[in-house]
Amino acid sequence: MLEVDLHSHSTYSDGLLTPAELVTRAHGHGVKMVALTDHDELSGLTEARVAAEARGMRFIDGVEISVSWASETLHIVGLNIDPLHSELAGGLSKVRAGRHIRAERIAADLERAGIAGAMAGASTYARNPDLLSRAHFARYLVERGFVKDTSTAFKRYLTKGKPGYVEHQWATLPEAVRWIRAAGGAAVIAHPGRYKLMNKDREAMLGEFRDLGGAGVEVVTGSHTVDQYATWARYAQRFGLKASAGSDFHGPGESYLDLGNLPDLPYGLVPVWGEF
Ligand code: AMP
Ligand code: MN
Ligand code: MN
Ligand code: MN
């Protein structure tokens, strides 16, 4: 088992636990190095760091940036960033500003599908009003009994081609990598197995990311099957990228992997946290 977990969410984005609760849970599961990586948001980092250091853990400042690339949304995790760096903070505030208008459009689309009150309903789940996520809409759909759980909410709603999905322009890949590097961090492609890309597009993504100065790919994540660990380990080696590992924990009952339940990296990979 790894004592490292470099991908997690708190109530500052779409997680269910506060930063201190999250870190306490990670500590209880034997994690010695933990990163908080809220979507497009840095506000939870101070609270998480204080809680982690009080428990003798290494804390890594992180963020998960939403990126539009070709016709996909990619998530780029920034690790070991300086949360006070103005280029990163300014870029993220621009990305967050787009979320409110997207949420209004999601709610209007759901309304057309016969689901009323989604904007107000989702907002009650978002403790950070700047950071309305599809996960908050999913919780509202569960609450109202339209679906039995959040994963069904994404299957029937909120994903491409379904009611409640709207196209949105996030940051570009060069922007995200530039902001992370400017803030002294390492850029990592989050859960690459989740993107619907043909092999040639995967190669284009990895090549472009490496040429921009990207550091690594998440090989071990709650989003990957064991087969995908091997697939993305090979891509990392082929493109000379390091490897990261993180549960992507959002909360009890909402995530496939819990904090600190990660298997070791496949043999031969260079851990991105080696330099932290
Ligand atoms: P957003 O950034 O607002 O588009 O929301 C993306 C978030 O929705 C992800 O970070 C996950 O928390 C959640 N999500 C996306 N797809 C799924 C899915 N298939 N099942 C459960 N949660 C999902
Ligand atoms: Mn999320
Ligand atoms: Mn993600
Ligand atoms: Mn995530």
Side-chain angles (χ1 to χ4, degrees):
M1 282 293 183
L2 270 181
E3 294 179 336
V4 169
D5 194 326
L6 298 178
H7 189 151
S8 68
H9 296 273
S10 77
T11 44
Y12 283 89
S13 64
D14 55 2
L16 295 171
L17 304 183
T18 65
E21 289 167 344
L22 185 86
V23 162
T24 303
R25 186 179 181 98
H27 182 251
H29 291 186
V31 175
K32 300 211 160 61
M33 183 192 279
V34 66
L36 175 64
T37 56
D38 276 316
H39 298 286
D40 310 318
E41 176 64 89
L42 305 169
S43 303
L45 295 174
T46 303
E47 180 187 328
R49 171 174 293 281
V50 168
E53 289 177 352
R55 288 164 183 75
M57 301 158 82
R58 252 322 284 290
F59 182 72
I60 304 298
D61 288 298
V63 65
E64 182 173 21
I65 306 181
S66 312
V67 163
S68 298
W69 187 83
S71 54
E72 267 292 326
T73 298
L74 306 182
H75 285 173
I76 303 297
V77 164
L79 295 171
N80 210 25
I81 46 153
D82 170 5
L84 299 177
H85 195 277
S86 61
E87 190 177 357
L88 175 65
L92 294 176
S93 97
K94 200 179 73 179
V95 176
R96 284 195 302 275
R99 278 187 174 268
H100 189 81
I101 175 120
R102 182 188 71 142
E104 299 275 13
R105 294 173 60 214
I106 289 174
D109 206 41
L110 288 171
E111 178 107 40
R112 281 189 285 276
I115 296 168
M119 187 68 188
S123 298
T124 65
Y125 291 96
R127 288 223 222 150
N128 175 359
D130 279 353
L131 214 293
L132 259 172
S133 156
R134 282 182 293 156
H136 300 121
F137 284 93
R139 288 171 198 152
Y140 174 69
L141 292 171
V142 175
E143 173 199 309
R144 291 289 312 278
F146 289 105
V147 286
K148 68 174 191 311
D149 55 26
T150 52
S151 111
T152 313
F154 278 93
K155 246 176 241 146
R156 299 214 194 125
Y157 304 93
L158 306 172
T159 42
K160 235 175 219 170
K162 303 289 163 62
Y165 183 82
V166 301
E167 291 296 336
H168 186 71
Q169 202 55 44
W170 300 105
T172 67
L173 187 60
E175 282 173 330
V177 176
R178 193 177 73 236
W179 299 339
I180 291 166
R181 284 167 55 91
V188 167
I189 302 179
H191 43 64
R194 243 166 68 180
Y195 311 129
K196 293 191 180 62
L197 299 172
M198 316 273 277
N199 287 347
K200 69 169 184 16
D201 296 325
R202 287 177 171 181
E203 289 160 15
M205 171 184 77
L206 289 161
E208 187 180 331
F209 178 73
R210 178 199 52 204
D211 294 347
L212 289 166
V217 294
E218 232 175 42
V219 172
V220 169
T221 147
S223 296
H224 283 177
T225 62
V226 172
D227 279 355
Q228 285 174 318
Y229 294 162
T231 301
W232 290 95
R234 282 194 301 273
Y235 275 124
Q237 286 183 312
R238 222 179 103 194
F239 284 84
L241 291 162
K242 294 178 181 173
S244 190
S247 58
D248 203 1
F249 183 74
H250 281 71
E254 275 204 18
S255 293
Y256 181 69
L257 276 184
D258 208 325
L259 291 156
N261 280 357
L262 305 178
D264 288 328
L265 287 180
Y267 182 76
L269 297 179
V270 183
V272 72
W273 61 87
E275 65 198 53
F276 296 164

